[in-house]
Amino acid sequence: MTSQADTHPVSHPGAEVEPQLLKVPEISIEAAETDISEYDSSSECETNSTTSSIESDSDASEKLVKVVNHTVAADVEPKSTSTTATVQPEQAQPEKVAKSDEDIDVAYDGKRPPRPRSVADICEDILGVLARYRLTHQSETSKVWGAKAKFLAQVERCVVRAEPVLMSLPAFPFKSPNKKTKVLGTLPDKGEEVALSHLEGLCLAIKDVYEPGANLFIVSDGLMYSDILGISDLEVWRYGQALRKMARDHGCDHVKFLRLRNLLGTEGPTEPITEEEYLRDAPQFRNDLLAQYLPKNFDVDAQIAKDASTTLTYRGYIKFLETDLATQGEWETKTQMKKQCEAVAKKMIVRGKAFATSIAKNLTEHVRLSIHPSTEQNKLSMSIIPQIGRSVTPWHGALIRAVDGSITMGHASSVPALTHDLIFDKEGRPSYFRERSDLFNWPGMDVDFNYLYPTGIIITPRDPKTTYSFQNVHMQKVRALSEACSPVVLRGFTDTTDEQTFEAKAHECGTVQPWTFGIRQSVKDAMNPDPKASTVTSTEAMPMHYDGFFFLKKEIDPADGVEKLVSKVPRFQYFTAITPSPPGDGMTLFASSQLFFQHLPAPYTLGELEKLKWDCKHSSNWNNHLQDLPLVTPHPANAKPCVRWHEPWYQWMTNFSTNEIRISNGGQHYKDLVREMLYDRRVCLYFNFKQADILVADNISMMHTRSAFTPGTGRELWRIHIN
């Protein structure tokens, strides 16, 4: 049987389909206009579309067979296999007539795999991923996404060729000139690290629904503005090089980089280039781009006066320049400072116009991303950091972590020293601010606490040459950190795979919850083909779930006095990795309830989901039917809302037990919403155990699953449940 780990985090195979290549519109550049920004995507370019066709060949046909067969399981009747995707403006699309939830639920019985997705289906799935990252997605549901038709055409081109989706983002210029109050230094810090991980997550989210995936190109505009903001070309170079190294070090393989010379079509030294070559050519590239792409007779004053978008850009520039330039000069009056900011802002409008035009004319195949709110007629506006509150870029502020992992951004000087600690990186440079807590105080151990993206904390000895015994770890602090930001991983400690130590530390963490087999389970492939066996001890992928769901006890319901089966759910999972899987194989996924609700798309609300109940029919020999289970419950320690769910698991997906899930008091479309959010890369940590890792996860606030792993790899974890 084909495993489920090839598409969605756990893959869903589909049958073959005869490929039919689409003819899709070419995109041509008609005009460019500025949009609100800082000096990172400065001027945005508007484009119009004209229709033509592209020719296909046999290679494209062969690739397309693979792409169309890369399917994702659905809880509804599969979509049409038509391969025609008509590109029309969003507002002109006819209203879709869908079956009722009841019809859909009856039509799809789960005994057969869904029919393979068409090219149109794949493109819509990719657009769905992009839509989840929109700035407007959570708050402005009525706003028309004008760029959708354009993006659909660009995405279709990639899909029919079975090639990665291309995206471009003008951003990451250099750190603010105001190093005194706004930022922590001249080089990328934790803010840029999180931003790169977030962008890599977007690419991987597309790969989850489309096997060729996506590549995102960062087009730095630093050289366009550095000289007028008092930043040297050398500082721009060092920032850019450090950013590239950061992307490599953190596995952001789908995040690529372009330079100004890539937009000029001029020949020059090939990558990697040297600092000497960069500094020699930078002024010429800047001048050439202005000469080649700035429209003739461009009148910046007239543009500001007549174009609303440019007016917003101009005002935005003035606002941030008041703080960026605050440390660069002395002005006798505020009026003098304002005039200086206005003059600089106009220069930036001119530079930005040329830069935006160059991107629009050279990157026509790219889905255009932007870091700023906009009309979204030709781009997607997104936040590059999953932050709470006002969106601030990492080159205009400092990252601030709460104990629970939530992120805010702000000016460095605004962070209170009484409540937050400044955290330094391995090179001794200031990196970010962290909320002060005794949970980070481990006497006798010099350790680092690094937050994972998007959730979790990994704890390691600060000096790799130093080792600490797991016997000396304060398990109550590990437990408390796990309640705040799960999972908590201990890496680089000794004695973690010693059976006696492992069990003793479980008792220090809390009350151990025994099972019929004892307190410790060896989670590995039991090589048991019995259909009544558990997927836990197989190499198959598992459904998203929480532990203890099927650990049932009979209890009297105080509300009606009726005896019922009740799940005895443990508070924590506690693991050690005896033999981990190779990287990317047998991954453990942890979905955070906190992030689930933070990223919940409008029009859905927490209040709406709190009212929902669901039923589960399990195919095992006891054949129990659990009814009226709440989708959302309060956490027993902090009362925060927690998702309680068991992913539907159909007969075609497994050789073992199946689960039929149904919303008992609402539409069945909620099942798709829950599944999409739990696997969302902004919500779910895709984690690979390493040898001797200890992991503690809150089994109430987190949902989890495991992707399939290769038979014979010997993957083995020890697990204990704790209350």
Side-chain angles (χ1 to χ4, degrees), residues 200-345:
E200 176 72 8
L202 169 58
C203 296
L204 292 175
I206 292 175
K207 186 174 178 62
D208 288 339
V209 300
Y210 171 60
E211 196 277 335
N215 289 322
L216 189 153
F217 292 83
I218 292 173
V219 191
S220 174
D221 49 5
L223 283 180
M224 293 303 298
Y225 307 108
S226 56
D227 59 323
I228 58 177
L229 289 170
I231 299 293
S232 69
D233 291 344
L234 178 60
E235 184 174 325
V236 177
W237 161 260
R238 289 175 175 170
Y239 177 87
Q241 290 302 102
L243 191 72
R244 287 163 170 79
K245 182 179 184 300
M246 180 178 281
R248 292 192 302 270
D249 291 348
H250 290 84
C252 299
D253 300 328
H254 299 88
V255 176
K256 316 292 183 180
F257 297 87
L258 294 176
R259 301 188 190 275
L260 285 192
R261 66 187 182 89
N262 300 119
L263 303 175
L264 290 167
T266 57
E267 293 187 2
T270 58
E271 294 286 350
I273 64 174
T274 67
E275 178 182 303
E276 180 182 6
E277 291 168 334
Y278 180 88
L279 296 178
R280 179 195 66 203
D281 297 336
Q284 188 63 46
F285 287 148
R286 182 163 46 226
N287 294 335
D288 287 352
L289 192 140
L290 280 168
Q292 186 171 335
Y293 291 107
L294 183 66
K296 292 182 179 180
N297 303 318
F298 180 71
D299 187 332
V300 65
D301 291 307
Q303 185 75 7
I304 292 171
K306 70 179 182 180
D307 184 76
S309 181
T310 307
T311 303
L312 289 173
T313 302
Y314 177 62
R315 291 173 179 172
Y317 283 161
I318 292 174
K319 183 176 181 179
F320 81 77
L321 285 170
E322 290 175 353
T323 54
D324 265 11
L325 303 181
T327 59
Q328 288 194 357
E330 295 183 3
W331 296 275
E332 294 182 0
T333 65
K334 290 185 177 180
T335 300
Q336 289 180 339
M337 182 179 181
K338 182 180 179 182
K339 287 183 178 180
Q340 175 67 12
C341 292
E342 290 173 348
V344 173

Side-chain angles (χ1 to χ4, degrees), residues 456-690:
I457 302 172
I458 187 166
I459 305 169
T460 58
R462 180 163 291 135
D463 183 353
K465 298 178 182 178
T466 302
T467 57
Y468 300 110
S469 173
F470 179 47
Q471 296 179 17
N472 299 323
V473 169
H474 196 306
M475 293 303 291
Q476 285 298 308
K477 289 190 175 183
V478 174
R479 176 188 174 111
L481 282 172
S482 178
E483 282 185 341
C485 187
S486 273
V488 173
V489 180
L490 278 67
R491 180 169 291 170
F493 291 79
T494 61
D495 304 317
T496 59
T497 58
D498 177 77
E499 183 176 348
Q500 184 176 354
T501 300
F502 180 68
E503 293 188 3
K505 300 304 284 186
H507 289 283
E508 290 181 20
C509 191
T511 302
V512 171
Q513 177 169 304
W515 288 72
T516 55
F517 49 76
I519 68 168
R520 178 177 60 82
Q521 181 176 19
S522 177
V523 182
K524 62 181 180 180
D525 181 16
M527 293 180 285
N528 183 1
D530 185 350
K532 296 180 181 179
S534 172
T535 55
V536 176
T537 52
S538 75
T539 62
E540 281 191 5
M542 298 173 62
M544 188 70 79
H545 66 287
Y546 56 93
D547 279 1
F549 180 71
F550 294 121
F551 186 30
L552 302 171
K553 296 288 185 179
K554 292 181 179 179
E555 291 186 0
I556 302 297
D557 188 339
D560 55 19
V562 177
E563 185 180 72
K564 297 179 180 179
L565 285 173
V566 178
S567 298
K568 304 302 291 184
V569 179
R571 286 286 306 280
F572 297 93
Q573 300 171 287
Y574 167 55
F575 292 96
T576 189
I578 304 303
T579 306
S581 296
D585 197 35
M587 301 186 76
T588 307
L589 282 59
F590 294 94
S592 162
S593 291
Q594 176 174 300
L595 296 175
F596 181 105
F597 293 112
Q598 177 180 328
H599 296 293
L600 185 68
Y604 299 104
T605 65
L606 169 60
E608 178 182 358
L609 269 57
E610 284 178 323
K611 298 175 183 177
L612 295 179
K613 305 285 186 179
W614 55 284
D615 300 343
C616 173
K617 288 184 179 179
H618 189 59
S619 66
S620 69
N621 54 1
W622 46 267
N623 197 30
N624 275 293
H625 183 191
L626 303 178
Q627 297 177 290
D628 292 329
L629 304 168
L631 179 61
V632 182
T633 62
H635 193 280
N638 53 39
K640 292 182 179 180
C642 299
V643 179
R644 303 283 79 190
W645 183 247
H646 195 295
E647 184 178 3
W649 216 238
Y650 298 116
Q651 182 176 324
W652 66 270
M653 298 164 63
T654 180
N655 289 316
F656 302 102
S657 300
T658 62
N659 299 296
E660 179 185 339
I661 306 298
R662 180 175 176 79
I663 302 296
S664 56
N665 65 340
Q668 303 311 306
H669 63 279
Y670 286 110
K671 294 191 290 185
D672 286 336
L673 170 70
V674 174
R675 185 187 65 246
E676 290 173 2
M677 290 305 301
L678 288 175
Y679 286 104
D680 192 306
R681 294 278 177 165
R682 302 166 299 167
V683 172
C684 185
L685 171 69
Y686 289 62
F687 181 74
N688 255 127
F689 277 97
K690 289 190 176 182

